[in-house]
Amino acid sequence: MVERMNWKLVILGVVLILIVWIGYVVYAAVTAHPTVHASWGYVDEKTTEIWVEAKLSKPLLVPAEIENLSLSFMGIPVARVARFDYGATRTDVNMAIVIDNGNLVRSLVAYLDNGQTGDVELKLKGSLLKVIPINADIKQVISEDILAYLNFTADSKELAGGLVKSPALVETTFDWAGEQDGKAVLIAHMKFYNPNSYRIPIGNVSFDMYANDVKIGYGKTVETVVLPPKGYATLDVETFIEEDALPEVWATHVKNGEVSKVRADIYLDITVLGREYSIKLASYEETVQTDIMGGINDMLESLLSG
């Protein structure tokens, strides 16, 4: 009888301890006031690391493990957790996320090839208390017209001592045209304006594109066009993007504090009053600055405050 009573007391004691522990975990999670900060880690042409650091005001006392955490875009794995540093009695959590730069480029090409729509999938596999499994599979459909951000323009130039003016490039829009020999192919629809009072045939239009002094692509005329006097015409230029050059550009962009220099040298062959002109219409340069890490930290802050 005494032994049975002792077993009951032991079981009751264990239950009470679990109740107190669970109560503490809930209390600690609510009052821990976590702060989370993400930053760029090591980056090269192959991979980009994102370091995430979280601090708690008190330990959670919850043993937890992450076996796998991965992010896929267009069915292509682009990121994974390489390190998860956490202890049940500690107040800091550190995690390293590794992005595969090559796969990121390939997933972007697949996204364009799919009409600029696709799936982002997050998979999580882990455990609590080493026995309770945690599994999550979250999918999100995205559709963003990223080609709409590309637009080249150039002013008219005076030729032959001001007697002739070159056409002005007033707008450039791009359409996706697939892949060819490891290059992404776009069609640039370049709209020109003729400031002269006579028609101007445009023979060849070409351009070279650079990002952070790395040549990333070039364009060449698909067909010729004649600009009417004081009128407009659109010329299609086949554009080739060197996919293998983009990981280096991305790495430099991150190392420069998310700042890149983008340049397009535009060349034009025209015939005016029986004379042929080959001119460099413009060297269009722009500074592209992003705040990807700022957006990540804003998202983390919103999750915590929500």
Side-chain angles (χ1 to χ4, degrees), residues 60-74:
L60 294 180
L61 302 181
V62 183
E65 293 181 355
I66 293 182
E67 298 176 29
N68 179 51
L69 177 60
S70 62
L71 181 69
S72 297
F73 182 35
M74 302 302 298

Side-chain angles (χ1 to χ4, degrees), residues 38-292:
S39 61
W40 295 114
Y42 176 78
V43 58
D44 59 21
E45 292 184 29
K46 292 184 177 180
T47 58
T48 302
E49 288 188 356
I50 296 177
W51 295 344
V52 182
E53 181 181 22
K55 291 188 177 296
L56 311 173
S57 60
K58 55 177 67 69
L60 294 180
L61 302 181
V62 183
E65 293 181 355
I66 293 182
E67 298 176 29
N68 179 51
L69 177 60
S70 62
L71 181 69
S72 297
F73 182 35
M74 302 302 298
I76 300 172
V78 296
R80 60 181 175 81
V81 169
R83 187 182 74 251
F84 180 66
D85 188 12
Y86 165 79
T89 59
R90 289 166 45 186
T91 58
D92 63 300
V93 182
N94 296 289
M95 184 166 58
I97 300 172
V98 177
I99 299 173
D100 186 311
N101 298 342
N103 280 0
L104 184 62
V105 171
R106 282 188 285 276
S107 65
L108 179 60
V109 170
Y111 174 76
L112 292 169
D113 207 34
N114 197 48
Q116 299 197 77
T117 184
D119 292 332
V120 175
E121 183 176 14
L122 177 68
K123 289 186 177 182
L124 169 64
K125 183 179 181 181
S127 64
L128 285 176
L129 304 176
K130 298 184 181 297
V131 293
I132 303 175
I134 302 175
N135 293 291
D137 191 345
I138 303 170
K139 284 187 178 181
Q140 178 68 43
V141 177
I142 63 170
S143 182
E144 177 72 18
D145 186 4
I146 59 176
L147 294 181
Y149 293 99
L150 300 176
N151 185 23
F152 299 148
T153 60
D155 295 329
S156 175
K157 285 185 175 182
E158 291 187 349
L159 305 173
L163 297 176
V164 179
K165 291 183 178 180
S166 69
L169 176 59
V170 297
E171 183 186 47
T172 307
T173 59
F174 287 87
D175 285 331
W176 173 252
E179 285 185 284
Q180 183 177 321
D181 299 326
K183 298 180 181 65
V185 184
L186 305 173
I187 301 298
H189 307 289
M190 307 183 80
K191 185 178 181 180
F192 288 94
Y193 170 71
N194 179 12
N196 302 286
S197 57
Y198 41 82
R199 61 201 294 268
I200 295 181
I202 298 180
N204 179 55
V205 174
S206 63
F207 58 82
D208 297 323
M209 293 185 294
Y210 300 85
N212 298 325
D213 296 324
V214 176
K215 187 174 181 179
I216 61 172
Y218 59 91
K220 61 182 181 181
T221 304
V222 176
E223 57 187 9
T224 60
V225 71
V226 176
L227 288 174
K230 302 291 186 180
Y232 297 86
T234 299
L235 188 66
D236 291 342
V237 179
E238 201 170 25
T239 307
F240 299 88
I241 307 297
E242 301 282 357
E243 295 177 19
D244 291 341
L246 297 182
E248 180 183 354
V249 173
W250 164 256
T252 304
H253 181 73
V254 173
K255 290 178 180 178
N256 287 346
E258 295 193 45
V259 176
S260 290
K261 295 287 187 181
V262 178
R263 188 178 87 246
D265 296 333
I266 305 173
Y267 303 91
L268 180 65
D269 293 341
I270 60 175
T271 302
V272 181
L273 302 177
R275 182 176 176 181
E276 295 183 353
Y277 292 89
S278 294
I279 60 175
K280 184 177 182 179
L281 185 61
S283 185
Y284 183 83
E285 186 170 314
E286 185 174 348
T287 298
V288 177
Q289 184 168 2
T290 61
D291 189 19
I292 299 171

